[in-house]
Amino acid sequence: MESVKERFKKMNNLTVRTISGAVYVVLLLGALSASNAIFFVLLFSLFAILATIEFNLMTQVNRTHPFRTAADALATVWVFLMGYLIGAGQNRAVLWIPIVSYVIYILVRSLFTDEGRELKAISNSLFPLIYIGLPFALSALISVHTVNYFQRTLFVGEALLTVFICVWANDCFAYLVGSAFGKRKLIPRLSPHKSVEGFIGGMVASALIAMLFPALFPYYFGGFSLFSMAMYGLFIGLLASIGDLFESMLKRRFGVKDSGWVIPGHGGILDRIDSFLFAVMGAFVLFSIIAY
């Protein structure tokens, strides 16, 4: 029989998890609902820095070299800022100088890496640019637009907010449906607790909530049919599940339970945005097709 002490500990853990999760959601809602991009840039830059540091600690490639980890984090943030500046119409060649210099630095640095670890060191330093930096840059491109008529930059976070909503719906209902009806394992070698039933339930929930977007976010989705929005939600839900499984693969490869500890009860930032990193890339493709 469970002791009072064990029950109290579980209640405390649940309280901490609920509060930290609520703070995370409130910060995101504030960043994507504000009338200017300052909060968005600051929050997403912080997320990019923390996610890159967590990746470095998880892979341990720069464990004894904090300067290298800092350089990797700053490079990832710059890729995000490039996306913002390009979206704001500042598409200049000079923007590429820092990132090209960083790549040169990584390649030159490999000459002084222990023999046999050169390619691993290069890959682990450049990988966050693709895995974290690129999705963050696309997040900015989705949200920031140049309005030539008014000669100003317009920040609209609604499109990006819909990606998060679909991801949250997918995660929540995948867990609920999987817990209640899950029998067949999805990919047990990567995530033994995820089921086929939960995977389907998450995508259905994402599709259903996306069907509300024309009414909730008419600026972007006012003219779209319910079928189009259902397909949007299904696609985002599918990529969100793949993103979650991808990070599970990384964590199993490096033998860690969580990517970090900055969100009590949830793990690290990378644990919270793993689904989003894949989903936002799909959203960018869809929005680009719609725009052109």
Side-chain angles (χ1 to χ4, degrees):
M1 187 175 179
E2 193 175 46
S3 68
V4 175
K5 184 177 180 180
E6 289 173 338
R7 291 182 181 179
F8 185 72
K9 183 178 180 181
K10 285 186 177 179
M11 289 177 62
N12 282 345
N13 290 341
L14 179 61
T15 301
V16 170
R17 181 179 174 86
T18 301
I19 292 174
S20 61
V23 170
Y24 168 75
V25 172
V26 168
L27 286 174
L28 276 174
L29 291 176
L32 299 178
S33 302
S35 58
N36 62 69
I38 296 177
F39 190 15
F40 167 73
V41 170
L42 291 176
L43 183 65
F44 273 61
S45 295
L46 177 62
F47 283 178
I49 290 172
L50 292 174
T52 305
I53 291 173
E54 290 172 359
F55 178 83
N56 272 263
L57 293 176
M58 182 167 60
T59 61
Q60 297 189 352
V61 67
N62 289 327
R63 182 177 54 183
T64 59
H65 301 281
F67 170 78
R68 295 181 181 181
T69 297
D72 292 347
L74 290 176
T76 305
V77 171
W78 183 252
V79 172
F80 162 60
L81 294 177
M82 282 181 63
Y84 176 82
L85 293 171
I86 291 172
Q90 304 297 318
N91 192 7
R92 301 175 182 177
V94 69
L95 294 177
W96 290 89
I97 293 177
I99 203 63
V100 171
S101 300
Y102 167 76
V103 172
I104 293 173
Y105 156 72
I106 292 298
L107 297 176
V108 172
R109 192 184 74 187
S110 69
L111 300 176
F112 304 94
T113 302
D114 295 339
E115 187 175 357
R117 300 185 69 250
E118 299 91 346
L119 291 179
K120 179 181 179 181
I122 293 172
S123 300
N124 282 2
S125 291
L126 295 181
F127 182 74
L129 293 182
I130 300 172
Y131 180 46
I132 302 169
L134 177 60
F136 272 60
L138 298 180
S139 300
L141 285 172
I142 289 173
S143 304
V144 182
H145 311 276
T146 302
V147 184
N148 293 327
Y149 181 80
F150 295 103
Q151 292 296 308
R152 65 187 181 92
T153 298
L154 179 66
F155 173 76
V156 182
E158 290 182 352
L160 196 58
L161 180 58
T162 65
V163 179
F164 276 104
I165 291 173
C166 285
V167 168
W168 292 335
N170 180 80
D171 288 348
C172 180
F173 281 88
Y175 173 77
L176 294 175
V177 174
S179 298
F181 306 104
K183 295 181 179 180
R184 289 166 289 187
K185 301 298 182 183
L186 185 61
I187 306 181
R189 70 179 181 86
L190 297 181
S191 185
H193 301 297
K194 287 183 172 57
S195 65
V196 174
E197 292 80 3
F199 172 73
I200 295 173
M203 287 202 302
V204 170
S206 181
L208 290 175
I209 202 164
M211 294 170 69
L212 301 175
F213 291 163
L216 296 175
F217 306 105
Y219 180 87
Y220 272 96
F221 303 105
F224 288 92
S225 67
L226 294 181
F227 176 78
S228 297
M229 297 314 304
M231 291 301 101
Y232 172 78
L234 280 174
F235 188 52
I236 298 302
L238 172 63
L239 289 176
S241 297
I242 293 174
D244 188 32
L245 288 169
F246 185 83
E247 201 220 359
S248 295
M249 177 188 71
L250 292 177
K251 289 191 290 188
R252 290 182 73 85
R253 166 64 179 82
F254 295 106
V256 298
K257 182 179 181 293
D258 297 314
S259 67
W261 47 265
V262 294
I263 306 180
H266 293 269
I269 287 294
L270 202 53
D271 292 319
R272 290 297 86 210
I273 65 171
D274 54 358
S275 299
F276 169 76
L277 294 176
F278 274 64
V280 74
M281 290 191 285
F284 176 79
V285 172
L286 291 177
F287 288 142
S288 298
I289 293 173
I290 292 171
Y292 300 103

